[in-house]
Amino acid sequence: QKEVEQDPGPLSVPEGAIVSLNCTYSNSAFQYFMWYRQYSRKGPELLMYTYSSGNKEDGRFTAQVDKSSKYISLFIRDSQPSDSATYLCAIKRTGGGNKLTFGTGTQLKVEL
Amino acid sequence: EAQVTQNPRYLITVTGKKLTVTCSQNMNHEYMSWYRQDPGLGLRQIYYSMNVEVTDKGDVPEGYKVSRKEKRNFPLILESPSPNQTSLYFCASARLAGSTDTQYFGPGTRLTVL
């Protein structure tokens, strides 16, 4: 069993839709949760970072963490064609230095 | 501009021909790391470095070497590349090696080994 599971998609939505992207993880030692966005032919860039259960909002993006269920989500409101990318969840454990464990990524396409 | 750079961006080579992929960061970061990205497997860590002259294996180190002689550079060396090392490689850096520091990624190097 992978430590982090993520549906690979692809996910296609119309412009303006609310997008929900999800990951599950298996190890309760994971305490820091990130979402990276990766455009085609580019390196991943950090989108959201949280370390507690609950919601964190940044503009159109909301990261949600449920530690009791080991489930993390990224919501994108009013999705735009420029949001078309692969979204990677990444998790770090307490005391694990800077080691990131990544999900496989979900490919999102927002269509006009 | 703060950035992580990698060279080359694209490389096609043949089995057994030694190659080096360079990585450089201009942010004075202590922590640097190499990942490979493969379809269905995601990003997996190859090697990392906590500081100059301090390196350690990640999850998939077989067939790779690294060195950290200067803070800004962290080259990835493939002594005898094989086709199963065909992949997309990313270098990343972070200010410190602590849990709360975020990693910044380079643009990637697409390697094909024939």
Side-chain angles (χ1 to χ4, degrees), chain A residues 41-109:
Chain A
R41 298 188 178 86
K42 300 282 189 182
E45 56 175 339
L46 183 68
L47 199 57
M48 300 283 284
Y49 184 161
T50 185
Y51 55 87
S52 58
S53 281
N55 294 349
K56 180 177 181 179
E57 194 172 312
D58 184 359
R60 297 184 295 110
F61 299 90
T62 299
Q64 187 176 80
V65 175
D66 182 348
K67 289 185 179 179
S68 62
S69 302
K70 298 188 181 67
Y71 193 85
I72 64 173
S73 300
L74 178 71
F75 298 97
I76 307 174
R77 289 185 300 281
D78 187 25
S79 56
Q80 304 294 310
S82 59
D83 295 327
S84 298
T86 296
Y87 291 80
L88 304 155
C89 62
I91 306 179
K92 286 196 284 192
R93 66 185 71 209
T94 304
N98 223 323
K99 177 179 166 57
L100 290 171
T101 300
F102 282 90
T104 52
T106 299
Q107 187 179 354
L108 171 67
K109 184 172 183 180

Side-chain angles (χ1 to χ4, degrees), chain B residues 1-33:
Chain B
E1 181 190 354
Q3 59 184 348
V4 179
T5 56
Q6 296 178 227
N7 281 292
R9 295 289 314 280
Y10 301 91
L11 179 59
I12 300 174
T13 189
V14 294
T15 298
K17 187 175 181 181
K18 181 180 178 180
L19 66 92
T20 300
V21 183
T22 64
C23 172
S24 184
Q25 49 90 7
N26 62 1
M27 296 170 279
N28 201 37
H29 283 175
E30 287 190 354
Y31 181 92
M32 297 185 75
S33 181

Side-chain angles (χ1 to χ4, degrees), chain B:
Chain B
E1 181 190 354
Q3 59 184 348
V4 179
T5 56
Q6 296 178 227
N7 281 292
R9 295 289 314 280
Y10 301 91
L11 179 59
I12 300 174
T13 189
V14 294
T15 298
K17 187 175 181 181
K18 181 180 178 180
L19 66 92
T20 300
V21 183
T22 64
C23 172
S24 184
Q25 49 90 7
N26 62 1
M27 296 170 279
N28 201 37
H29 283 175
E30 287 190 354
Y31 181 92
M32 297 185 75
S33 181
W34 276 103
Y35 295 86
R36 60 179 288 174
Q37 187 175 35
D38 302 290
L41 297 175
L43 280 151
R44 295 177 293 166
Q45 189 179 55
I46 303 170
Y47 267 95
Y48 65 95
S49 170
M50 306 277 268
N51 212 326
V52 175
E53 302 290 4
V54 181
T55 62
D56 208 347
K57 296 176 181 178
D59 296 321
V60 288
E62 294 78 20
Y64 304 95
K65 284 176 58 176
V66 293
S67 68
R68 187 92 182 273
K69 293 183 170 54
E70 308 165 278
K71 200 170 188 178
R72 64 183 292 127
N73 296 322
F74 190 45
L76 179 69
I77 303 155
L78 284 73
E79 295 264 356
S80 183
S82 63
N84 65 11
Q85 293 178 295
T86 292
S87 187
L88 181 57
Y89 291 86
F90 288 101
C91 181
S93 73
R95 188 172 61 92
L96 297 171
S99 296
T100 57
D101 272 16
T102 57
Q103 291 189 35
Y104 299 89
F105 284 80
T109 294
R110 185 166 291 281
L111 172 65
T112 301
V113 183
L114 301 174

